[in-house]
Amino acid sequence: MKKLCFLLLACSFFTLSAQQLESPSKQIQVEFSLDAKGTPTYSVTYKGKEVVKTSKMGLSLKEDTALVQGFSLVNKEETNVDETWNPVLGEQSTIRNHYNQASFHLLQKETNRKLDIVFKVYDEGVAFRYEFPSEDAVRYFVVSEENTEFNLTGDHNTFWIPGDFDSQEYVYSESKLSEIDNSKLDLNNGIALKSIESKYRVQSPLMMKSKDGLYLNIFEAAVVNYPVMHLDVNTENFELKSKLVPNAVGDMAYLRTPSVTPWRTIMVSDDARDIVASKMILNLNEPNKIEDVSWIKPMKYVGIWWEMHVGKSTWDFAGSQNAQNAASQELVPSGKHGATTENTKRYIDFAAKHGFDGVLVEGWNVGWEDWFGNWKEDVFDFVTPYPDFDLKEVSDYAKSKGVKMIMHHETSASVANYERHLDRAFNLMKEYGYPAVKSGYVGRIIPRGEFHDGQTMVNHFNYVAQRAADYKIMVNSHESVRPTGYSRTYPNYIAAEAARGNEFNAWSSGNDPKHETILPFTRLLGGPMDYTPGIFEIKMSVYDPEKTEQVHTTLAKQLALYVTMYSPLQMAADLPENYEKYLDAFQFIKDVPVDWQDSKYLEAEPGDYLSVARKDKNSESWFLGAITDENARKTEIKLDFLTPGKKYKATIYADGKNADWEKNPKSYAIKTRTVTSKTKLKLELAAGGGAAISIVPIN
Amino acid sequence: MKKLCFLLLACSFFTLSAQQLESPSKQIQVEFSLDAKGTPTYSVTYKGKEVVKTSKMGLSLKEDTALVQGFSLVNKEETNVDETWNPVLGEQSTIRNHYNQASFHLLQKETNRKLDIVFKVYDEGVAFRYEFPSEDAVRYFVVSEENTEFNLTGDHNTFWIPGDFDSQEYVYSESKLSEIDNSKLDLNNGIALKSIESKYRVQSPLMMKSKDGLYLNIFEAAVVNYPVMHLDVNTENFELKSKLVPNAVGDMAYLRTPSVTPWRTIMVSDDARDIVASKMILNLNEPNKIEDVSWIKPMKYVGIWWEMHVGKSTWDFAGSQNAQNAASQELVPSGKHGATTENTKRYIDFAAKHGFDGVLVEGWNVGWEDWFGNWKEDVFDFVTPYPDFDLKEVSDYAKSKGVKMIMHHETSASVANYERHLDRAFNLMKEYGYPAVKSGYVGRIIPRGEFHDGQTMVNHFNYVAQRAADYKIMVNSHESVRPTGYSRTYPNYIAAEAARGNEFNAWSSGNDPKHETILPFTRLLGGPMDYTPGIFEIKMSVYDPEKTEQVHTTLAKQLALYVTMYSPLQMAADLPENYEKYLDAFQFIKDVPVDWQDSKYLEAEPGDYLSVARKDKNSESWFLGAITDENARKTEIKLDFLTPGKKYKATIYADGKNADWEKNPKSYAIKTRTVTSKTKLKLELAAGGGAAISIVPIN
């Protein structure tokens, strides 16, 4: 399956005329060059149009000469790769990795220092990284900034969130590049901790659309032992520059030879579906390092979680997160504690009855009375349950019902404390048979001075995945670094939040109706998201008449999200009693798989709509999700991905008549019909609506 | 054993006239007062002489009103305590804790904030601390500086080391207060990492002597969840002010109510012996928190360690700490690796033959090729031995010989990495039966930006002691925070280095001859020191004719250090082959206990001399150590501490004729004689010399 050809230009120290490299399809061309000062530069064209103008490359170092100029080309290697691999879990069972590669071996004469710049050109985009090869002496060095430019050719329409070093939990702003300005954002958005240092800094993945209809995406892959890259935008000339996230003392990355940076990626296409369907980010990561993957399994789960978000119960045992109670020796129960043995059994019963794999319980362990906001080092110990939560009884009961328990580790961002207790915490999970953990990182990081997105924390998140693999534990992290494909390397790092999830709809301004049409073009490119869809009781007024918060979708769109928001770990986030009221709609959540043979992106426009069909990993059934933004939408879907000649029963969970995310969100209609590969399916999506369809072979 | 009387002045908000408190002996008087601005102040007199002038007290807070003025006295409580307790290991089997206490309950009206200042006055000194009592609401607050003054009355002679946030491994400078100036120090002293920010900052314990013969010592006790206090010296008016060690973001301490600061201590006497003999620092710590202490045992040990310091072998397997080797996949042995199975067996044999409890092996685990100087996070894993060190074979062999193995954990100051691996490291120790660990913290701290002496690291060192107690492991830490009596609370924290140890004599300017006469007045006040005495081959030229380094004592003084430098963990640091050459002198090291029934400080003058006699914990034998500085010294010791009427055989290990630390250090003479409680023993100590005496009952 692997085709590899090698070409070595042995001409040493030749003067560099511009070097070209193109994608297998020949539609993307990259030009690499050294300018008069010996500064590396690159530019990118797509179908003959320039999409990235000549842009400089390089790195500034803390104690050494900057790696920005004075380079000459020693030699160049070219390779073509066309191979396939099989993810443990995924949107498709086979992934093709097909690119042309060029490695430019540079020498900085003044310092006698080597630097390699390696390009991989895929059909959907360009990736490059810096490599620091082995030298005669091992070199330690500190990166003080990365000076990678992405000089764009126009004032593109852009989907952006501010360059916050601690949070990505923002709704996307849609504006021209020239209009980016963090100081104009409404920051009353429910995010507890914000670290925005610059008006013109945004995060990647940065999704854009040019005036002439090209879709552009700037991101990175394989962020390992390196900080996250944000982007500083020049709003006048549309030049973007890398901005790494610093550590407590202002350094960016501690490296030694040999090592590499993450890949910097520029995806480009005139078809938005090429961006959302791309597996380039995964491909750019190292292959799976876990030998035995038999324990890595997809999971659909319910849990004691949404009931806290809506105010029905509390995480803490003694009151509503009241530090005063925590100070006293004896906690007095408030009666509102969610994670009781009894309530957990209720969820286990519900999971067993409806065929869910797992039950998550948050708030099971002591510490929630005083867990947040005080930059406190010792918060949770991850092993001591509240007196009303019996670990053994719960896990025995779950086992008797064939349901797996999902552990919860809120760290309060006290990472030092979490690492101290990690082995004890994982041992407890093994003792009681918990196969997966949801971790949380709410608050200011300890070690103090570190940001969520710095090298220290990148290393932490990757370490937890590695250590969890030693224990055969799957990890789903919240408030963590956004993924950049590391789940290829550690497939037990099964999901992350790392973007604005559904929970914000319960108690803040929430997520606007276009939010879920943007995430597949941004956050999801790096890996699965635990978005926690499936909220049926859309309006929070059902819990308290004074509440005005609501989920910004229709009920049908909540169903569609199980298909549009890929994750092998999916929650049915609403309360069991709410699902009991809408069992016909709930049937879709029960039926939809979370691991796939294949995925077909049928329609895609960032900020507007998305339609995707996926084939169950273990059957011939297909599932289709279609969503729209705040605008109602009519569409016709061709089912030509179905096996020709085969008949299927389609069950269509659609928005009801007059459905509307704001005025009438719970209106839905379920229809069934027989379909074939020739069927064209007309769908009408309400404002903020969607449709979910199961397509099951007949015999 | 506990006498306690209580006195509550219930008069609320009375105007404060100066409040007096005195020591049980009435020789020390403290006056506490609120000045016109409501600022707390104190002063101290000794035998009617003022020793600390009116000095302000208080703390600056990061986000709240400073706790420095605007206070009124709400009430005052007084208590007298006279109790005794029995340390698990110690210089004496029973310790008396006898003091008068006054608690001043203050209220800052502007903020409605409570602050307590508590004094304990002992016969040998004053202690006070700030207490933040429970309030209606739990308060979190950040200490941005402590403003405790120690305003001295004259230009005292002072023994000081610079206020370095990362190291205490300095020789002491002896000068007047007015002459303190870090910028004039010769810093070519072998210390790898120095963090000195101010010319006039010194560390505590700060030992002083006034012109009129008073001995003064400023220190602190029970540094728990708080940074180390250094002292800023005003060299013109002799006023000293507290300077806390900051963390990575410049904060000093994160506290919440209720909590307390460490005790600030001022010892004073006209007899220097009262300072060295004091148990005040231990008394000010919380009682033992470990229930079962049966596994906490004193240890005399040998080990693979000095041979690396003298260059005979290396810590690393592949070469002389050469990172290039570390980068290659296969380490090529240099042939000089010290920690081989074979060499370890040699030390085990030697330990068994001569009755030592333990064998330390440094350099047993992979990582030493590239362990230092690059602020590298992943250094050691604490579980993987080098290929030439067989953990099982070594531990089985040690067991068969009745010898305990001592584990070694060099962290390279990558504390984040150590805490990650701590459980695995301790589990390995339990698996192979290692009862104790020597840990090391050489280099810049990770989490980056932290200092060795900040709150983060204080918490780390205390955490390791606590976690080790869970595993029934004893801890001996090097390059750690200097102890402040925490070994009372966690007696498994059996020793620390935390000052300039004997090793500096092997490869640097070394420790001047008066060094060991100062340490008992400074470093040792806080707890046992693993000084690693017992070097017989004084001059390094024995290993390499070109070496000029040497130990700055005579051989006999090396023996005396086993008595003068109290530690329940003592190394016989020299090589077995060196001891074999001087077996008659070695006999003292074999005989000397490391845990005591009683200790009598017979003579003491900081920087000049020290003589101490100690009684074996488990017999009627006494051991006496006498040391001097660079000056030869004649003295006569009265043995009136011996049981009257009883005869003893004294074996006197004295400096030989013409012995001199520099010119003739190995000259020693061993004599025996019969002694009684009436004997007056004449001793002649050479320049840089000492005498060691065992006094064993005859029948």
Side-chain angles (χ1 to χ4, degrees):
Chain A
M1 293 297 275
K2 188 162 181 173
K3 197 178 78 180
L4 200 131
C5 101
F6 227 83
L7 201 123
L8 181 63
L9 301 184
C11 34
S12 83
F13 290 96
F14 60 82
T15 311
L16 182 71
S17 57
Q19 304 278 326
Q20 267 91 24
L21 183 70
E22 59 187 15
S23 61
S25 68
K26 302 188 192 304
Q27 294 188 336
I28 297 179
Q29 286 196 311
V30 180
E31 188 170 290
F32 175 76
S33 182
L34 292 172
D35 71 10
K37 287 186 173 171
T39 297
T41 70
Y42 76 100
S43 60
V44 181
T45 60
Y46 173 76
K47 292 186 178 175
K49 279 185 216 165
E50 188 172 53
V51 292
V52 179
K53 293 188 293 186
T54 300
S55 299
K56 291 181 183 172
M57 314 170 94
L59 300 111
S60 300
L61 306 184
K62 190 179 183 188
E63 287 151 353
D64 303 293
T65 305
L67 300 174
V68 295
Q69 61 178 27
F71 286 102
S72 55
L73 182 67
V74 178
N75 63 31
K76 170 188 171 185
E77 286 171 89
E78 285 187 289
T79 315
N80 311 309
V81 172
D82 190 358
E83 61 185 9
T84 60
W85 58 280
N86 307 108
V88 178
L89 307 171
E91 293 186 83
Q92 54 207 63
S93 57
T94 300
I95 292 175
R96 184 181 182 188
N97 188 22
H98 186 201
Y99 60 89
N100 293 331
Q101 174 173 321
S103 302
F104 298 99
H105 301 289
L106 308 178
L107 184 77
Q108 191 179 43
K109 277 193 186 165
E110 178 196 344
T111 59
N112 199 33
R113 183 157 189 163
K114 296 176 189 173
L115 176 70
D116 293 349
I117 296 181
V118 179
F119 286 86
K120 292 185 176 184
V121 188
Y122 288 80
D123 280 349
E124 71 268 34
V126 177
F128 61 85
R129 74 178 177 190
Y130 305 95
E131 300 189 355
F132 311 98
S134 287
E135 306 207 36
D136 290 341
V138 169
R139 274 189 211 260
Y140 282 88
F141 57 102
V142 180
V143 176
S144 55
E145 195 48 272
E146 184 179 317
N147 310 296
T148 305
E149 296 177 350
F150 304 87
N151 295 333
L152 303 175
T153 56
D155 194 8
H156 306 326
N157 189 48
T158 306
F159 301 88
W160 57 275
I161 57 175
D164 184 318
F165 294 162
D166 272 313
S167 178
Q168 331 86 343
E169 296 188 315
Y170 292 85
V171 291
Y172 288 86
S173 295
E174 183 177 351
S175 81
K176 292 188 173 173
L177 278 169
S178 60
E179 293 161 352
I180 286 172
D181 185 346
N182 292 323
S183 71
K184 293 184 178 158
L185 292 174
D186 177 9
L187 295 180
N188 180 23
N189 54 11
I191 300 173
L193 172 66
K194 304 184 190 82
S195 302
I196 305 174
E197 288 183 358
S198 163
K199 286 165 75 168
Y200 306 117
R201 184 169 300 152
V202 297
Q203 298 193 43
S204 83
L206 188 68
M207 186 66 208
M208 294 167 283
K209 185 177 183 183
S210 70
K211 289 193 185 85
D212 50 359
L214 290 189
Y215 299 89
L216 277 154
N217 184 291
I218 298 177
F219 190 26
E220 58 183 340
V223 178
V224 175
N225 194 30
Y226 205 81
V228 166
M229 176 185 73
H230 291 200
L231 296 164
D232 280 344
V233 179
N234 185 323
T235 56
E236 290 176 6
N237 64 13
F238 325 126
E239 294 181 357
L240 276 50
K241 199 179 156 203
S242 55
K243 171 65 198 175
L244 301 179
V245 177
N247 76 351
V249 296
D251 295 333
M252 304 299 163
Y254 301 87
L255 299 179
R256 53 163 279 182
T257 55
S259 60
V260 298
T261 69
W263 294 95
R264 282 64 189 88
T265 63
I266 303 154
M267 289 194 229
V268 55
S269 180
D270 51 16
D271 186 337
R273 296 177 300 177
D274 292 339
I275 310 289
V276 279
S278 172
K279 294 290 158 281
M280 190 172 127
I281 300 299
L282 279 180
N283 275 326
L284 289 165
N285 277 266
E286 292 293 309
N288 171 29
K289 290 193 177 177
I290 301 176
E291 205 159 321
D292 168 20
V293 294
S294 61
W295 50 275
I296 301 173
K297 291 181 177 157
M299 277 185 112
K300 250 187 315 185
Y301 71 103
V302 294
I304 300 180
W305 176 74
W306 188 252
E307 62 178 70
M308 282 84 96
H309 283 284
V310 302
K312 188 189 163 208
S313 64
T314 60
W315 276 272
D316 68 319
F317 171 78
S320 193
Q321 302 184 36
N322 180 346
Q324 309 320 312
N325 285 311
S328 70
Q329 287 304 305
E330 292 223 0
L331 295 177
V332 180
S334 66
K336 280 194 77 180
H337 185 216
T340 64
T341 302
E342 189 189 350
N343 199 26
T344 305
K345 284 183 172 178
R346 188 170 72 93
Y347 276 82
I348 291 169
D349 287 340
F350 182 81
K353 180 177 170 192
H354 295 289
F356 284 84
D357 306 293
V359 172
L360 166 75
V361 181
E362 295 202 2
W364 67 277
N365 58 327
V366 298
W368 288 92
E369 284 74 18
D370 184 19
W371 75 283
F372 174 71
N374 290 302
W375 225 5
K376 189 176 138 177
E377 188 167 355
D378 291 329
V379 193
F380 298 101
D381 71 4
F382 312 99
V383 296
T384 308
Y386 277 122
D388 58 351
F389 185 81
D390 187 322
L391 257 172
K392 180 161 171 22
E393 190 176 339
V394 158
S395 53
D396 285 352
Y397 190 75
K399 201 174 174 187
S400 78
K401 296 280 183 171
V403 170
K404 301 284 186 194
M405 295 301 298
I406 299 177
M407 178 48 74
H408 184 237
H409 292 164
E410 174 56 54
T411 67
S412 190
S414 181
V415 171
N417 179 59
Y418 188 40
E419 293 203 359
R420 264 179 196 175
H421 289 90
L422 195 63
D423 280 290
R424 280 169 274 184
F426 283 166
N427 277 319
L428 187 87
M429 287 176 63
K430 296 315 279 185
E431 184 183 345
Y432 290 102
Y434 285 62
V437 61
K438 174 182 173 181
S439 57
Y441 294 85
V442 175
R444 277 185 294 176
I445 298 292
I446 301 177
R448 296 187 181 93
E450 297 293 339
F451 295 108
H452 281 70
D453 279 358
Q455 185 190 27
T456 298
M457 287 301 295
V458 164
N459 289 352
H460 166 78
F461 295 117
N462 292 347
Y463 167 72
V464 171
Q466 293 163 22
R467 189 69 184 137
D470 295 341
Y471 285 89
K472 301 193 175 181
I473 285 173
M474 295 182 283
V475 176
N476 163 28
S477 62
H478 283 227
E479 301 87 29
S480 51
V481 166
R482 84 252 184 296
T484 54
Y486 200 60
S487 58
R488 179 181 179 187
T489 313
Y490 280 90
N492 66 316
Y493 198 168
I494 193 166
E497 186 185 39
R500 194 173 179 90
N502 220 356
E503 67 202 46
F504 279 83
N505 282 314
W507 37 257
S508 80
S509 50
N511 310 345
D512 58 8
K514 71 170 183 285
H515 189 60
E516 297 94 346
T517 70
I518 303 169
L519 286 170
F521 290 90
T522 53
R523 163 66 183 80
L524 290 177
L525 294 176
M529 177 172 178
D530 186 32
Y531 188 71
T532 62
I535 302 304
F536 282 8
E537 282 300 351
I538 300 288
K539 295 198 179 242
M540 299 306 115
S541 53
V542 74
Y543 303 104
D544 176 350
E546 299 203 350
K547 284 193 177 181
T548 57
E549 293 87 356
Q550 74 159 97
V551 176
H552 295 66
T553 73
T554 62
L555 188 152
K557 184 171 171 182
Q558 287 291 309
L559 298 180
L561 295 178
Y562 286 90
V563 186
T564 63
M565 302 282 277
Y566 166 68
S567 178
L569 184 83
Q570 285 279 27
M571 186 173 202
D574 211 336
L575 313 184
E577 54 266 42
N578 291 342
Y579 288 133
E580 301 281 6
K581 290 189 274 180
Y582 311 95
L583 283 175
D584 56 349
F586 188 54
Q587 189 61 44
F588 182 80
I589 302 180
K590 292 170 64 172
D591 292 343
V592 69
V594 290
D595 192 23
W596 309 98
Q597 261 183 72
D598 202 3
S599 293
K600 302 281 185 193
Y601 285 85
L602 308 169
E603 302 178 301
E605 183 64 31
D608 290 343
Y609 57 82
L610 186 79
S611 303
V612 59
R614 303 189 196 269
K615 188 179 185 185
D616 181 17
K617 184 86 153 262
N618 304 305
S619 78
E620 293 299 307
S621 297
W622 285 77
F623 293 80
L624 194 151
I627 60 172
T628 182
D629 61 2
E630 69 282 6
N631 300 308
R633 179 165 189 263
K634 291 184 187 179
T635 185
E636 192 177 72
I637 307 270
K638 287 183 194 168
L639 303 187
D640 54 6
F641 49 83
L642 297 177
T643 307
K646 200 159 187 163
K647 282 186 180 174
Y648 298 80
K649 178 188 172 193
T651 307
I652 303 161
Y653 302 76
D655 290 318
K657 271 202 178 146
N658 304 319
D660 178 286
W661 70 270
E662 194 169 17
K663 296 185 198 113
N664 191 21
K666 291 200 289 186
S667 168
Y668 63 89
I670 304 173
K671 285 179 231 167
T672 59
R673 54 172 286 196
T674 301
V675 297
T676 69
S677 65
K678 290 180 180 161
T679 304
K680 293 176 184 174
L681 212 53
K682 284 188 180 164
L683 294 176
E684 293 195 18
L685 312 182
I693 307 170
S694 64
I695 306 171
V696 180
I698 299 170
N699 295 334
Chain B
M1 296 293 277
K2 189 163 182 174
K3 199 179 73 178
L4 200 131
C5 101
F6 227 83
L7 203 122
L8 184 63
L9 301 184
C11 35
S12 84
F13 288 97
F14 60 82
T15 310
L16 183 70
S17 57
Q19 304 278 326
Q20 266 90 22
L21 184 70
E22 59 187 13
S23 60
S25 68
K26 304 189 191 301
Q27 294 188 334
I28 297 179
Q29 287 196 311
V30 179
E31 188 170 290
F32 175 75
S33 181
L34 292 171
D35 71 10
K37 288 187 173 171
T39 297
T41 68
Y42 76 100
S43 60
V44 181
T45 59
Y46 173 75
K47 293 187 178 174
K49 277 185 219 168
E50 188 171 52
V51 291
V52 179
K53 293 189 292 186
T54 299
S55 299
K56 291 181 182 170
M57 313 170 94
L59 301 110
S60 300
L61 306 184
K62 190 180 183 187
E63 287 152 353
D64 303 294
T65 304
L67 300 174
V68 295
Q69 61 179 27
F71 286 101
S72 55
L73 183 68
V74 178
N75 63 30
K76 171 189 170 185
E77 285 173 90
E78 285 188 288
T79 315
N80 311 311
V81 172
D82 190 358
E83 61 184 11
T84 60
W85 57 281
N86 306 109
V88 179
L89 307 172
E91 292 185 82
Q92 53 207 64
S93 56
T94 301
I95 291 175
R96 185 179 182 189
N97 188 21
H98 186 203
Y99 59 89
N100 293 332
Q101 175 173 322
S103 302
F104 299 98
H105 300 289
L106 308 179
L107 184 76
Q108 190 179 45
K109 277 194 184 163
E110 178 195 343
T111 59
N112 198 33
R113 183 155 191 165
K114 296 177 189 170
L115 176 70
D116 293 349
I117 296 181
V118 179
F119 286 87
K120 292 186 177 183
V121 188
Y122 288 80
D123 281 348
E124 71 267 34
V126 177
F128 60 85
R129 72 177 178 189
Y130 306 95
E131 300 190 354
F132 311 98
S134 287
E135 307 207 34
D136 291 341
V138 168
R139 273 190 212 260
Y140 282 87
F141 57 103
V142 180
V143 176
S144 55
E145 195 48 272
E146 183 178 318
N147 310 298
T148 304
E149 295 177 349
F150 304 87
N151 295 333
L152 303 175
T153 56
D155 193 9
H156 305 325
N157 189 47
T158 305
F159 300 87
W160 57 276
I161 57 174
D164 184 318
F165 294 162
D166 272 313
S167 177
Q168 330 87 343
E169 297 187 315
Y170 291 86
V171 291
Y172 288 87
S173 294
E174 184 177 350
S175 81
K176 293 188 172 173
L177 279 168
S178 61
E179 294 162 350
I180 286 172
D181 185 346
N182 292 323
S183 71
K184 293 184 179 157
L185 293 174
D186 176 10
L187 296 179
N188 180 23
N189 55 10
I191 300 173
L193 172 66
K194 303 184 190 82
S195 302
I196 305 174
E197 288 183 358
S198 162
K199 285 165 75 169
Y200 306 118
R201 183 168 301 150
V202 297
Q203 298 192 43
S204 83
L206 189 67
M207 185 66 210
M208 294 168 284
K209 186 178 182 182
S210 72
K211 288 193 187 84
D212 50 359
L214 291 187
Y215 298 88
L216 277 154
N217 183 292
I218 298 178
F219 190 26
E220 58 183 340
V223 178
V224 175
N225 195 30
Y226 204 81
V228 165
M229 177 185 72
H230 290 201
L231 296 164
D232 280 343
V233 179
N234 184 324
T235 55
E236 289 174 8
N237 63 13
F238 324 126
E239 294 182 357
L240 276 51
K241 199 179 157 205
S242 55
K243 171 65 198 176
L244 301 179
V245 178
N247 76 351
V249 297
D251 296 333
M252 304 300 163
Y254 302 87
L255 299 179
R256 51 163 280 181
T257 55
S259 60
V260 299
T261 69
W263 295 95
R264 282 65 189 87
T265 62
I266 303 155
M267 289 194 229
V268 55
S269 179
D270 51 16
D271 185 338
R273 294 177 302 178
D274 291 340
I275 310 289
V276 278
S278 172
K279 294 290 158 279
M280 191 172 128
I281 301 299
L282 278 179
N283 275 326
L284 289 165
N285 277 266
E286 292 292 310
N288 171 28
K289 291 192 174 175
I290 301 176
E291 206 158 321
D292 168 19
V293 294
S294 60
W295 50 276
I296 302 174
K297 290 181 177 157
M299 278 184 114
K300 252 187 314 184
Y301 71 103
V302 294
I304 300 179
W305 177 73
W306 188 252
E307 62 177 72
M308 282 85 96
H309 283 285
V310 302
K312 188 190 162 205
S313 65
T314 61
W315 275 272
D316 68 319
F317 172 78
S320 191
Q321 302 184 35
N322 180 347
Q324 309 319 311
N325 285 311
S328 70
Q329 287 304 305
E330 293 223 359
L331 295 176
V332 180
S334 67
K336 279 196 76 182
H337 185 216
T340 64
T341 303
E342 189 189 350
N343 199 27
T344 305
K345 285 184 172 177
R346 188 170 70 94
Y347 276 82
I348 292 169
D349 287 339
F350 181 80
K353 181 177 171 191
H354 295 289
F356 284 83
D357 306 293
V359 173
L360 165 75
V361 182
E362 296 203 0
W364 68 276
N365 59 327
V366 298
W368 288 92
E369 284 73 18
D370 184 19
W371 75 283
F372 174 73
N374 291 302
W375 225 5
K376 188 176 138 177
E377 188 167 355
D378 292 329
V379 192
F380 298 102
D381 71 5
F382 311 99
V383 296
T384 309
Y386 277 123
D388 57 351
F389 184 81
D390 188 321
L391 257 171
K392 180 160 172 23
E393 190 176 338
V394 158
S395 53
D396 286 352
Y397 190 75
K399 200 175 175 188
S400 78
K401 295 281 183 173
V403 170
K404 302 283 186 193
M405 294 303 298
I406 299 178
M407 177 49 73
H408 184 238
H409 292 164
E410 174 55 52
T411 68
S412 189
S414 181
V415 171
N417 180 59
Y418 188 39
E419 292 203 359
R420 265 179 195 177
H421 289 88
L422 195 63
D423 280 290
R424 280 169 275 182
F426 283 165
N427 276 319
L428 188 86
M429 286 176 62
K430 296 316 277 187
E431 185 182 345
Y432 290 101
Y434 284 61
V437 61
K438 173 182 174 181
S439 57
Y441 294 85
V442 175
R444 278 185 295 177
I445 298 292
I446 300 176
R448 296 186 181 94
E450 297 293 340
F451 294 109
H452 281 70
D453 279 358
Q455 184 190 27
T456 298
M457 286 301 295
V458 164
N459 289 351
H460 166 78
F461 294 118
N462 292 347
Y463 167 72
V464 170
Q466 293 163 23
R467 189 69 184 138
D470 295 340
Y471 286 88
K472 302 194 174 181
I473 285 172
M474 296 183 282
V475 176
N476 162 28
S477 63
H478 283 227
E479 301 86 29
S480 51
V481 166
R482 83 248 184 299
T484 55
Y486 200 60
S487 58
R488 178 180 179 187
T489 312
Y490 279 90
N492 68 315
Y493 198 168
I494 194 167
E497 186 187 40
R500 192 173 179 90
N502 221 356
E503 69 202 45
F504 279 83
N505 282 314
W507 37 257
S508 79
S509 50
N511 310 345
D512 57 9
K514 71 171 183 285
H515 189 59
E516 296 94 347
T517 71
I518 303 170
L519 287 170
F521 290 90
T522 54
R523 163 67 184 79
L524 290 177
L525 294 175
M529 177 171 179
D530 185 31
Y531 187 71
T532 61
I535 301 303
F536 282 9
E537 283 299 352
I538 300 289
K539 296 198 178 241
M540 300 306 116
S541 54
V542 73
Y543 304 104
D544 176 351
E546 299 203 348
K547 284 193 176 180
T548 56
E549 295 85 356
Q550 74 159 96
V551 176
H552 294 65
T553 73
T554 63
L555 188 152
K557 184 171 171 182
Q558 287 291 309
L559 297 180
L561 295 178
Y562 286 90
V563 186
T564 62
M565 302 282 277
Y566 166 69
S567 176
L569 185 82
Q570 286 279 26
M571 187 173 201
D574 211 336
L575 313 184
E577 55 267 41
N578 291 342
Y579 289 132
E580 301 280 5
K581 289 189 275 179
Y582 311 95
L583 283 174
D584 55 351
F586 187 54
Q587 189 63 42
F588 183 80
I589 302 180
K590 291 170 67 172
D591 292 342
V592 68
V594 290
D595 192 22
W596 310 98
Q597 260 184 72
D598 201 4
S599 292
K600 303 282 184 193
Y601 284 86
L602 308 170
E603 304 178 298
E605 183 65 31
D608 289 344
Y609 56 82
L610 186 80
S611 303
V612 58
R614 303 189 196 269
K615 187 180 186 185
D616 182 16
K617 183 85 153 262
N618 303 306
S619 77
E620 292 300 306
S621 297
W622 287 79
F623 292 80
L624 193 152
I627 59 172
T628 182
D629 61 2
E630 69 280 7
N631 300 310
R633 180 166 189 261
K634 291 183 187 178
T635 185
E636 192 179 70
I637 307 270
K638 288 183 194 167
L639 302 187
D640 53 8
F641 49 84
L642 297 178
T643 306
K646 202 159 187 165
K647 283 186 180 173
Y648 298 81
K649 178 187 171 194
T651 307
I652 303 160
Y653 302 76
D655 289 319
K657 272 203 176 144
N658 302 318
D660 177 286
W661 71 270
E662 195 169 16
K663 295 185 199 112
N664 192 20
K666 291 199 289 185
S667 169
Y668 63 89
I670 304 173
K671 283 181 235 167
T672 58
R673 57 172 283 194
T674 301
V675 297
T676 70
S677 66
K678 292 180 179 164
T679 304
K680 294 177 184 175
L681 213 54
K682 285 189 179 161
L683 294 176
E684 293 194 19
L685 312 182
I693 307 170
S694 63
I695 305 171
V696 182
I698 297 172
N699 293 336

